[in-house]
Amino acid sequence: QVQLVESGGGLVPAGGSLRLSCAASGRSLSTYSMAWFRQAPGKEREFVAYIQWSSSNTRYADSVKGRFTISRDNAKTTVFLQMNSLKPEDTAVYYCAARSDYIGGYEYTSSYGAWGQGTQVTVSS
C-alpha cells in the first residue's frame, strides 16, 4: 500500500493562507485518486477536497468551496491543498488519503485505503 506523508501545517491568523503537501514515499500517485480530510478535536473526520487520478475532476466540501484548491504536480508524486482566507473553524488535523478504485463515495473515509499521519493546522482569531 502506498505510504503518504503530509507537511505544511502550522499556526496562521484568520484570513491567512497555508499550503499543505502530501507526498507518496517511493512511488507515483498517478493511478490513485486523492483526498484531504480533517478532524477537529471532539469531532469526526470530515471530507475537505478530492481530485481524481486524471486531475480532471475535483470536488470540495461546501465549507471550503472558493477558498481551498486541491491540485497535483505533473509527476503526480505530490498532492497539494492551497488554503486561503482561513477561518478559526478550519482548525483541525488535516489528513491526505488515497484510493485506487471507485468503490464508495469520494466523501467517505471508508472509501480510502491509505492515509497519512496528519498535519496540524491552527487558525487564530
Side-chain angles (χ1 to χ4, degrees), residues 9-88:
L11 171 65
V12 294
S17 298
L18 279 176
R19 190 193 197 201
L20 305 183
S21 300
C22 173
S25 59
R27 64 182 299 171
S28 168
L29 295 171
S30 60
T31 59
Y32 289 85
S33 291
M34 304 294 296
W36 288 94
F37 287 76
R38 66 186 182 186
Q39 188 167 18
K43 295 187 176 181
E44 294 188 354
R45 195 168 298 188
E46 65 175 6
F47 168 76
V48 175
Y50 167 83
I51 187 166
Q52 197 175 25
W53 73 270
S54 64
S55 296
S56 62
N57 185 22
T58 58
R59 293 288 186 268
Y60 297 93
D62 288 343
S63 59
V64 306
K65 201 170 294 183
R67 300 187 297 122
F68 290 12
T69 303
I70 188 171
S71 63
R72 65 201 312 169
D73 67 339
N74 290 335
K76 297 185 177 178
T77 59
T78 306
V79 175
F80 305 99
L81 185 67
Q82 178 66 43
M83 306 186 295
N84 299 328
S85 303
L86 282 161
K87 305 175 181 179

Side-chain angles (χ1 to χ4, degrees), residues 4-9 20-23 36 94-97 115-119:
L4 304 173
V5 179
E6 303 100 332
S7 61
L20 305 183
S21 300
C22 173
W36 288 94
Y94 283 69
Y95 299 89
C96 67
W115 292 84
Q117 83 289 349
T119 185

